[in-house]
């Protein structure tokens, strides 16, 4: 079985993002970029499935600028067998990303695709579901546990009311939630080894994907700021302050 | 007037309060039909029909709808969507799972987490864990498919008279490749986290599952729901459905009490719309104090029992 994983290059989650002067986006120059945290979890899960003997190959796929090779190298260093970058300077929205991934699926014929549940830059939480729809296959989103046997994946999903379990026939798309696993640390020798693993790049224009309708991007602005509050010194003062605010009778 | 299809979220017995909040957003866009997919939940349809802003309830009853599976529901939503300018759902795990599948089948982009309607095609939504608010516009001639950030909208009130409930038959072909196995609900009889007026949350500082007792106890005193930071969930102190934040629940209670929570941006984005934030933390420099309306620096194990007994005499 072949597993495809999505690897998106995003601003590292520890960075305090800055809106650019024009208000058209955020500053990315000189900012630390990383693998989307949910994608690291997706890679880790794919590797564990391979290490259990349930898969033979893990292919990491990224869509983004040439620099996104860095994040694919991280995936290779973690243990992915090979990587593919669909190169484009445009910032693509989930529907476009899903179309591209669908095209890659047609070439690679994986039995399992694991994506992150959401990219922490656009916070869209759409791509996996869209890909599953376009592919006409099942989706198991927000996975916190994944078992595979006899062509069926049994997935525990983190939903608002608790933990839901569903069964999906493979091939399928699974999206990783935070508690699916804890990604391994990459060791120095692995980084060296990863340099020799295959990383192919393919210009988006060569893929022959018709680009779907997209949302028009307007301004980026900071969120309304909460007015700073007060610090109180004691429980009595806390209760008095709550009463003053009308929160307590 | 534009027509809006809002997909109701329910558990087979009652309507999830998220639906009523999404309805407030939907009603500002046009005439709203609320669609209930079920295997026979009449009570849910009746409940939806009683909400202000609901023009009509459309009830689609099929045995396959006994559980909310996106793969099963999406073709049925698509079947109805042709008659509408908008297809909306609350931005809960239910809506987040379902709506992108619908959007892709309709070949249109989706707006996730509408927090403000600027004009009928233009919306504000949070990105980068809520650190940036992005305005996006759905191009002319494209059906608007969107999830609604429920913390940004008030619950719909009750209608003066109930809206008509209409049964709709569906002939959409449904896949058998996805099967529901079970739900381990951690619920209990505490108020629901997403709709509670008061919430007490604990973080890593609480230290253990056992210690979380002090959080539950204070919550009971305040008639509050209980939430948690990711760190507390990851450490196994509490179940996953209690996580508040970027990747957990986004909530807007009147009162939010954060106990032993440092205030990481991923957590704060979940509580931005709370009426009053109280922080209890032993580190006076913790970032939670930058957003808290009332902060108290100190050890939670000392403060919480004190607070509870001080509340005793009060009509909390
Ligand atoms: C992709 C991604 C998504 C994330 N999503 C979320 C999310 O949805 N929700 C979320 O919450 N986090 C999320 N996080 C994690 C977030 O970055 C923080 O790591 C997390 O919120 C920290 O939780 P905490 O405040 O409980 O723990 P800590 O940051 O460790 O803070 C513990 C606090 O407890 C205080 N404390 C300790 N002992 C006591 C005591 N006895 N009395 C009083 N105070 C005490 C300490 O001073 C400290 O401030 C996400 C992270 C990533 C990378
Ligand atoms: N440009 C991209 N390159 C690779 N994977 C992507 C890309 N965009 C989205 N994905 C995948 O889709 C997931 C969800 O993204 P989103 O729908 O944007 O929140 C991510 O965690 C990735 O696994």
């Amino acid at each position: 079985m072949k597993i495809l994983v999505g690897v998106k290059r995003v601003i590292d989650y520890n960075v305090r993002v800055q809106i650019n002067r024009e208000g058209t986006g955020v500053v990315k120059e000189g900012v630390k970029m990383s693998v989307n945290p949910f994608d690291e979890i997706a890679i880790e899960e794919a590797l564990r499935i391979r290490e259990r003997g349930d898969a033979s190959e893990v292919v990491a796929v990224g869509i983004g600028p040439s620099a996104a090779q860095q994040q694919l190298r991280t995936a290779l260093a973690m243990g992915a067998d090979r990587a593919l970058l669909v190169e484009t300077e445009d910032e693509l929205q989930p529907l476009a990303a899903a179309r591209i991934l669908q095209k890659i699926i047609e070439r690679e014929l994986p039995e399992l695709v694991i994506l992150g549940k959401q990219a922490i830059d656009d916070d869209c939480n759409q791509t996996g579901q869209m890909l599953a729809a376009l592919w006409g296959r099942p989706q198991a989103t927000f996975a916190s546990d994944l078992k595979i046997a006899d062509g069926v994946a049994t997935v525990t999903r983190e939903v608002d009311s608790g933990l839901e379990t569903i069964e999906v026939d493979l091939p399928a798309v699974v999206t990783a939630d935070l508690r699916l696993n804890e990604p391994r640390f990459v060791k120095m020798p692995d980084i060296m080894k990863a340099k020799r693993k295959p990383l192919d790049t393919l210009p988006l224009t060569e893929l022959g994907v018709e680009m779907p309708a997209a949302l028009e991007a307007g301004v980026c602005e900071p969120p309304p700021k909460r007015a700073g509050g007060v610090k109180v010194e004691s429980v009595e003062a806390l209760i008095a302050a709550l009463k003053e605010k009308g929160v307590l009778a | 007037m534009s027509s809006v299809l809002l997909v109701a979220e329910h558990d087979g017995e009652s309507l999830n309060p998220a639906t009523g909040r999404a309805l407030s957003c939907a009603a500002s866009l046009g005439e709203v039909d609320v669609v209930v997919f079920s295997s026979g939940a009449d009570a849910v349809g009746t409940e939806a029909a009683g909400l202000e802003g609901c023009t009509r309830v459309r009830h689609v009853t099929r045995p396959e709808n006994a559980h909310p599976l996106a793969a099963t529901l999406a073709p049925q939503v698509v079947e109805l969507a042709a008659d509408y300018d908008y297809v909306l759902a609350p931005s809960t795990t239910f809506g987040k799972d379902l709506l992108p599948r619908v959007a892709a089948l309709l070949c249109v982009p989706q707006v996730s987490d509408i927090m403000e309607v600027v004009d009928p095609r233009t919306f504000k939504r949070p990105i980068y864990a809520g650190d940036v608010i992005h305005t996006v516009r759905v191009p002319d001639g494209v059906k608007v498919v969107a999830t609604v950030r429920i913390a940004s909208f008030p619950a719909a009130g009750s209608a003066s008279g109930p809206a008509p409930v209409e049964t709709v038959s569906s002939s959409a072909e449904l896949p058998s490749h996805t099967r529901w196995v079970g739900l381990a609900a951690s619920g209990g009889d505490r108020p629901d986290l997403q709709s509670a007026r008061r919430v007490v949350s604990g973080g890593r500082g609480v230290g253990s599952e056992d210690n979380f007792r002090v959080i539950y106890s204070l919550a009971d005193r305040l008639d509050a729901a209980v939430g948690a930071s990711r760190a507390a969930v990851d450490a196994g102190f509490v179940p996953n459905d209690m996580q508040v934040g970027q990747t957990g629940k986004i909530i807007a209670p009147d009162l939010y009490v954060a106990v032993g929570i440092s205030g990481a941006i991923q957590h704060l984005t979940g509580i931005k719309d709370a009426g009053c934030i109280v922080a209890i933390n032993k580190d006076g420099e913790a970032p939670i104090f930058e957003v808290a309306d009332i902060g108290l620096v100190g050890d939670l194990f000392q403060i919480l029992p004190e607070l509870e007994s001080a509340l005793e005499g009060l009509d909390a």
Side-chain angles (χ1 to χ4, degrees), chain B residues 201-220:
Chain B
S201 279
R204 198 197 310 267
V206 178
S208 70
E209 182 180 2
D210 211 30
N211 287 350
F212 240 79
R213 258 182 334 201
V214 298
I215 304 289
Y216 290 117
S217 180
L218 176 63
D220 288 344

Side-chain angles (χ1 to χ4, degrees), chain A residues 117 121-124 126 129 137 139 141 160 163-165 167 169 179 216 218-219 221 226 230 232, chain B residues 96-97 110 112 124-125 129 133 135 137 179-182 184 234 243 246-247 249 272 274 293 295:
Chain A
K117 85 159 174 183
D121 50 2
D122 63 28
D123 279 336
C124 274
Q126 301 176 2
Q129 297 88 313
R137 295 304 309 165
Q139 67 189 47
T141 53
D160 289 340
L163 292 170
E164 182 186 65
T165 303
E167 238 177 46
D169 295 338
R179 281 166 285 274
E216 298 160 7
V219 294
E221 56 192 331
R226 285 187 76 95
V230 292
V232 293
Chain B
K96 288 174 181 174
D97 185 39
Q110 179 191 290
S112 291
K124 290 190 181 185
R125 61 173 302 264
I133 306 303
T135 299
R137 184 174 183 281
R179 295 169 295 275
W180 192 84
V181 177
D234 283 1
Q243 181 176 315
Q246 179 189 20
T247 52
K249 288 177 178 159
K272 281 205 169 124
D293 299 283

Side-chain angles (χ1 to χ4, degrees), chain A residues 142-184:
Chain A
F142 324 147
S144 65
D145 189 64
L146 169 59
K147 291 194 180 65
I148 290 171
D150 306 321
V152 173
T154 304
V155 183
T156 303
R157 309 179 51 234
E158 293 204 358
V159 295
D160 289 340
S161 51
L163 292 170
E164 182 186 65
T165 303
I166 65 171
E167 238 177 46
V168 297
D169 295 338
L170 299 180
V173 178
V174 171
T175 74
D177 213 321
L178 291 170
R179 281 166 285 274
L180 183 57
N181 60 51
E182 235 176 273
R184 65 195 65 188

Side-chain angles (χ1 to χ4, degrees), chain B residues 291-308:
Chain B
V291 299
D293 299 283
I294 311 170
L296 179 52
V297 180
D299 188 291
L300 71 95
F301 297 106
Q302 205 178 321
I303 292 173
L304 258 48
E306 246 186 78
L307 179 57
E308 226 183 289

Side-chain angles (χ1 to χ4, degrees), chain A residues 13 37-38 120 178, chain B residues 202-206 228-232 243-249 259-267 280-283 286 298-301:
Chain A
Y13 81 97
F38 291 97
I120 61 161
L178 291 170
Chain B
R204 198 197 310 267
V206 178
S229 69
R230 173 187 171 186
Q243 181 176 315
V244 171
Q246 179 189 20
T247 52
K249 288 177 178 159
V259 184
I261 292 178
S262 62
I265 163 131
Q266 293 88 0
H267 187 80
I280 297 170
N281 194 307
K282 69 177 180 191
D283 172 11
D299 188 291
L300 71 95
F301 297 106

Side-chain angles (χ1 to χ4, degrees), chain B residues 130-257:
Chain B
D131 237 5
V132 177
I133 306 303
H134 194 202
T135 299
V136 293
R137 184 174 183 281
V138 181
D140 293 326
V142 174
K143 200 185 293 292
V144 179
V145 175
T147 59
V148 179
R149 183 180 182 274
I150 55 178
S152 302
F153 296 89
S158 339
S160 45
V165 180
E166 170 188 295
T167 305
V168 191
S169 64
S170 155
S171 55
E173 205 181 308
L174 305 183
S176 58
H177 54 45
T178 305
R179 295 169 295 275
W180 192 84
V181 177
L183 173 71
S186 40
D189 24 334
R190 287 214 162 68
D192 167 57
L193 180 55
Q194 269 162 316
S195 49
R197 288 180 40 243
R198 293 172 177 169
V199 173
V200 181
S201 279
R204 198 197 310 267
V206 178
S208 70
E209 182 180 2
D210 211 30
N211 287 350
F212 240 79
R213 258 182 334 201
V214 298
I215 304 289
Y216 290 117
S217 180
L218 176 63
D220 288 344
R221 190 72 202 83
L222 287 166
D223 194 20
V226 178
S229 69
R230 173 187 171 186
V233 179
D234 283 1
F237 302 170
V238 295
N240 65 284
D241 50 21
M242 283 167 54
Q243 181 176 315
V244 171
Q246 179 189 20
T247 52
K249 288 177 178 159
I250 310 281
I251 58 175
D254 299 339
L255 172 65
Y256 186 78
V257 186

